[in-house]
Amino acid sequence: MPTNRQVVLASYVTDAAQPENFALSEGPMPEPSEGEFLLRNMYFSMEPAIRGWVDGKANYFEPIPIGGVIRGPSVGQVIKSKNPDFAEGEYVYALNQWEDYSLCHSEAILLEKLKPEPGIPLSYYVGSLGGAGATAYIGLREVGLIQAGQTVIVSAAAGATGSMAGQIARLTGCKVIGIVGSDDKAELIVEQFGFDAAVNYKTEDVTEAVMAIAPEGVDIYFDNVGGPVLNAMLKTMKTYGRIVACGMISDYNRTDNPNPITNLWEMVSRQLTMQGFLLPTYQDEVPAAMAELEGWIRSGDIKVLENITEGFDNTPRAFCELMSGGTVGKALVRVDI
Amino acid sequence: MPTNRQVVLASYVTDAAQPENFALSEGPMPEPSEGEFLLRNMYFSMEPAIRGWVDGKANYFEPIPIGGVIRGPSVGQVIKSKNPDFAEGEYVYALNQWEDYSLCHSEAILLEKLKPEPGIPLSYYVGSLGGAGATAYIGLREVGLIQAGQTVIVSAAAGATGSMAGQIARLTGCKVIGIVGSDDKAELIVEQFGFDAAVNYKTEDVTEAVMAIAPEGVDIYFDNVGGPVLNAMLKTMKTYGRIVACGMISDYNRTDNPNPITNLWEMVSRQLTMQGFLLPTYQDEVPAAMAELEGWIRSGDIKVLENITEGFDNTPRAFCELMSGGTVGKALVRVDI
């Protein structure tokens, strides 16, 4: 029987995630019970949300215990099935684990059966056509209530979700500004993803820079970072503006000492709405989102930038690189079985 | 011609408001031009929002300049009119000024013609049937989307808006907990206003105390205070809970150094919505709100507690007392013309 390599939690992550927080383990390949099917994982999605599950504290999910296998979205192929809805050979996206073989079932979180289009790489279904794309699309539509002609700001704009959000906003007919952490990223999002402008939060005053580019004020702020950038953005919003609270990566490495927010009075003064959301809540909206995104990717209206790490054993390193803020595009791991 | 006493701004308020920040002045009684009408002010409404207009900084209104007359809601009687819609003898609520006589017109902010019911004191139309009542009603209904059976928490619960919000939530069929700053206020809101329970934020850990009384979690937090209480409340909310951002009085005396909020991650993790609002946005909803509130007050379902200061000259002192947090009920000034 094949062995099942797994990445497990070696120690709780308390600060910046380090490869030493993780360990490699091996177990037997699991066997599906009635209703289950077995996936061979092909790609792992590296996502900031995973940082919230490895610190030993309750979050919206149970924390992963020491020795527990790391939870994360993956794309896999069904290789054995005791579920009539999932046949051998089919492809699936779901919240699985960092391991060669994952057991899955019909009620798995984020579960979606994939019908990969000819000409679209399977890896796209991990990010642009997986959680990142769906999060960007649903965050702007269902939470941001985006409309043509609005001014939309996206933080972590060179990242998987941010780059998709910016492109979706552009295709919706909005003026789009991205906030990034380097001049290289600033150039990338304008030239590659078609943002109207970029702000480097490390070298510019975010409030002043955004107001210079968008003196009309901001209708929607799609926030992936929280912290000082969110604090600065509160002072740029139009009356009745909406803040889509998608993530707060600036606090993920410092959950015991999160960045203080001091401009919340603007919520009242400008009559803003801030709404947090998690993708599983909008599971029913995902197929329609995917269909439109697939069309945009096929037509070239949406560009996809991937950052693929080769090999199972490099998964912890790939995750730590993502969390360091040094990467661009969708970070994923190709599993070498 | 009668003189027109006015309260003007003597110096910008930078910390706790002091009577010395204000001065008394006199001018001639103004004359209405075409379309205007002249009010004899009978009651001034003391409101925390005024604190935001006397610090010399732009807010959602222009700041009041040094020497400018203080802006504030009042109830007055029409004594001269060049507006066919407002006849002499009629009563009006509007955002006027702290002065004996105010010019008013059809587009005045918060303008409402009053038809005082027999048996309801005119002063009630300053608070419970004025801005405080309308703010509480509209905040819970239009912003909080309140439903029977929910758990609702109200801060500054012994104050004008908070005491109304708590009673409205109780009458909607909700479990209601009030947050206050003294044991006397805690007793008052339970015994007088029918709150199910009270938490004293000065002597109790707000998160722990609320979770002990409402282990099911909080559906709606009606926030009048911001700051540490808001920060604590973020950790008590149910998934999809709503925070009605009505005011942030804990920061009004320290606008240069607002209280830091560190628990905003809960917005994402619990998928919360926080929405700020100002009453003038909902002007069209006010008459229906007033009609229902009048019914509840007449029937005794809503109790009104007033804190009336006698005499025009005492207006600055009454305002500073309100801002010190020492008062209960609706703070207002009866003008002695």
Side-chain angles (χ1 to χ4, degrees):
Chain A
M1 181 178 282
T3 58
N4 186 26
R5 292 176 297 175
Q6 298 181 312
V7 179
V8 299
L9 189 62
S11 56
Y12 291 128
V13 183
T14 55
D15 195 345
Q18 305 294 338
E20 303 79 65
N21 292 125
F22 304 90
L24 301 177
S25 176
E26 282 190 8
M29 186 174 84
E31 277 294 319
S33 305
E34 206 55 44
E36 293 181 328
F37 49 96
L38 186 67
L39 295 175
R40 181 170 77 80
N41 283 314
M42 305 180 70
Y43 292 99
F44 298 141
S45 176
M46 298 295 100
E47 305 202 352
I50 295 167
R51 177 61 181 80
W53 309 333
V54 292
D55 60 2
K57 296 175 192 157
N59 202 313
Y60 49 94
F61 284 134
E62 285 299 299
I64 297 169
I66 299 295
V69 186
I70 306 301
R71 186 193 295 136
S74 73
V75 163
Q77 187 171 29
V78 180
I79 58 167
K80 281 192 188 180
S81 180
K82 290 192 175 172
N83 183 317
D85 297 330
F86 292 85
E88 284 181 31
E90 290 190 308
Y91 292 99
V92 159
Y93 174 86
L95 185 58
N96 293 307
Q97 299 191 116
W98 289 355
E99 59 192 350
D100 285 326
Y101 302 99
S102 286
L103 283 176
C104 197
H105 57 85
S106 298
E107 301 305 314
I109 292 169
L110 297 177
L111 176 66
E112 202 195 347
K113 190 186 286 190
L114 305 178
K115 297 187 179 61
E117 294 275 328
I120 296 187
L122 186 64
S123 59
Y124 282 21
Y125 292 88
V126 182
S128 302
L129 293 170
T135 296
Y137 187 99
I138 286 165
L140 286 172
R141 296 284 174 101
E142 304 289 326
V143 182
L145 309 179
I146 191 171
Q147 295 180 328
Q150 291 186 319
T151 296
V152 178
I153 315 284
V154 179
S155 56
T161 302
S163 62
M164 290 298 286
Q167 294 183 90
I168 294 165
R170 168 172 54 74
L171 291 164
T172 309
C174 294
K175 173 172 169 178
V176 191
I177 303 166
I179 302 177
V180 293
S182 76
D183 291 342
D184 285 350
K185 288 181 180 178
E187 193 179 320
L188 175 82
I189 66 169
V190 172
E191 298 195 351
Q192 178 97 344
F193 299 131
F195 282 68
D196 293 292
V199 171
N200 179 346
Y201 77 89
K202 289 189 178 162
T203 60
E204 300 180 74
D205 178 299
V206 170
T207 304
E208 284 177 18
V210 168
M211 291 310 295
I213 302 167
E216 72 277 14
V218 175
D219 294 284
I220 299 175
Y221 172 45
F222 191 105
D223 186 21
N224 291 305
V225 301
V229 172
L230 169 59
N231 209 36
M233 284 302 303
L234 282 161
K235 299 209 142 205
T236 70
M237 303 297 294
K238 274 188 195 166
T239 302
Y240 311 129
R242 298 181 70 85
I243 297 174
V244 179
C246 176
M248 298 195 175
I249 196 172
S250 69
D251 288 333
Y252 293 176
N253 280 337
R254 39 185 290 164
T255 52
D256 287 339
N257 181 29
N259 291 287
I261 302 293
T262 53
N263 292 332
L264 270 194
W265 165 245
E266 305 298 337
M267 293 294 300
V268 181
S269 175
R270 299 172 192 244
Q271 304 191 65
L272 307 179
T273 298
M274 182 188 300
Q275 185 175 342
F277 79 109
L278 297 170
L279 187 57
T281 297
Y282 296 88
Q283 188 73 7
D284 293 348
E285 326 289 334
V286 168
M290 290 302 102
E292 185 153 21
L293 292 174
E294 259 180 354
W296 279 332
I297 288 174
R298 255 201 316 267
S299 66
D301 285 321
I302 282 187
K303 299 273 198 310
V304 174
L305 181 64
E306 296 186 304
N307 180 342
I308 302 182
T309 298
E310 299 287 344
F312 184 92
D313 293 356
N314 292 320
T315 305
R317 183 176 57 72
F319 176 70
C320 297
E321 275 176 9
L322 170 73
M323 294 307 294
S324 75
T327 63
V328 295
K330 175 61 198 174
L332 52 104
V333 170
R334 193 187 333 253
V335 182
D336 54 333
I337 304 188
Chain B
M1 179 178 286
T3 57
N4 186 27
R5 292 177 297 176
Q6 299 182 309
V7 179
V8 299
L9 189 61
S11 55
Y12 290 128
V13 183
T14 54
D15 195 343
Q18 304 293 338
E20 304 80 63
N21 292 124
F22 303 91
L24 302 176
S25 176
E26 281 191 4
M29 186 174 84
E31 278 294 320
S33 305
E34 205 55 46
E36 292 182 329
F37 49 96
L38 186 68
L39 296 174
R40 180 169 81 79
N41 283 315
M42 306 181 71
Y43 293 99
F44 298 141
S45 176
M46 299 294 101
E47 305 202 352
I50 295 168
R51 176 63 180 79
W53 309 333
V54 294
D55 60 1
K57 293 175 193 156
N59 200 316
Y60 50 94
F61 284 135
E62 285 299 298
I64 298 169
I66 299 294
V69 186
I70 306 300
R71 186 193 297 137
S74 73
V75 163
Q77 187 171 29
V78 180
I79 58 168
K80 281 191 186 178
S81 181
K82 290 192 174 172
N83 183 316
D85 297 331
F86 291 86
E88 284 180 31
E90 290 190 306
Y91 293 99
V92 159
Y93 174 86
L95 184 58
N96 294 305
Q97 300 191 116
W98 289 355
E99 60 191 350
D100 286 326
Y101 302 100
S102 286
L103 282 177
C104 199
H105 55 86
S106 298
E107 301 305 312
I109 293 168
L110 296 177
L111 176 65
E112 201 195 348
K113 190 186 286 191
L114 305 177
K115 298 186 178 62
E117 294 275 326
I120 295 187
L122 186 63
S123 59
Y124 281 21
Y125 291 89
V126 182
S128 302
L129 293 170
T135 296
Y137 187 99
I138 286 165
L140 286 172
R141 296 284 175 102
E142 305 289 327
V143 183
L145 310 178
I146 190 171
Q147 295 179 330
Q150 290 186 319
T151 296
V152 177
I153 315 285
V154 180
S155 57
T161 301
S163 64
M164 290 297 287
Q167 294 181 90
I168 293 164
R170 167 173 52 75
L171 291 163
T172 309
C174 293
K175 173 172 171 179
V176 191
I177 302 167
I179 301 177
V180 293
S182 76
D183 290 343
D184 286 350
K185 289 180 178 176
E187 193 178 320
L188 175 82
I189 65 170
V190 172
E191 298 195 351
Q192 179 97 345
F193 299 131
F195 282 68
D196 293 291
V199 171
N200 180 346
Y201 76 88
K202 290 188 177 162
T203 59
E204 300 180 74
D205 178 299
V206 170
T207 305
E208 284 177 16
V210 167
M211 291 311 295
I213 302 167
E216 72 277 14
V218 175
D219 294 286
I220 299 175
Y221 171 45
F222 191 106
D223 185 22
N224 291 306
V225 302
V229 173
L230 169 59
N231 209 37
M233 284 302 302
L234 281 162
K235 299 208 140 201
T236 70
M237 304 298 293
K238 273 187 196 168
T239 302
Y240 312 129
R242 298 182 70 85
I243 297 175
V244 180
C246 176
M248 299 197 175
I249 196 172
S250 70
D251 288 333
Y252 293 176
N253 281 337
R254 39 183 291 164
T255 51
D256 287 337
N257 182 27
N259 292 287
I261 302 293
T262 54
N263 292 333
L264 271 195
W265 166 245
E266 305 299 337
M267 293 293 302
V268 181
S269 176
R270 297 171 193 246
Q271 305 191 62
L272 307 179
T273 298
M274 181 187 301
Q275 185 175 343
F277 79 109
L278 297 170
L279 187 56
T281 297
Y282 297 87
Q283 189 72 6
D284 293 348
E285 327 287 335
V286 169
M290 291 300 103
E292 184 153 22
L293 292 173
E294 259 180 354
W296 278 332
I297 288 174
R298 257 202 315 269
S299 67
D301 284 322
I302 282 186
K303 299 273 197 308
V304 173
L305 180 63
E306 297 186 304
N307 179 341
I308 302 182
T309 297
E310 299 286 344
F312 184 91
D313 293 355
N314 293 320
T315 306
R317 184 175 57 71
F319 176 70
C320 296
E321 276 175 11
L322 169 72
M323 293 307 295
S324 76
T327 64
V328 295
K330 175 62 199 175
L332 51 104
V333 171
R334 190 184 340 252
V335 182
D336 54 332
I337 305 187

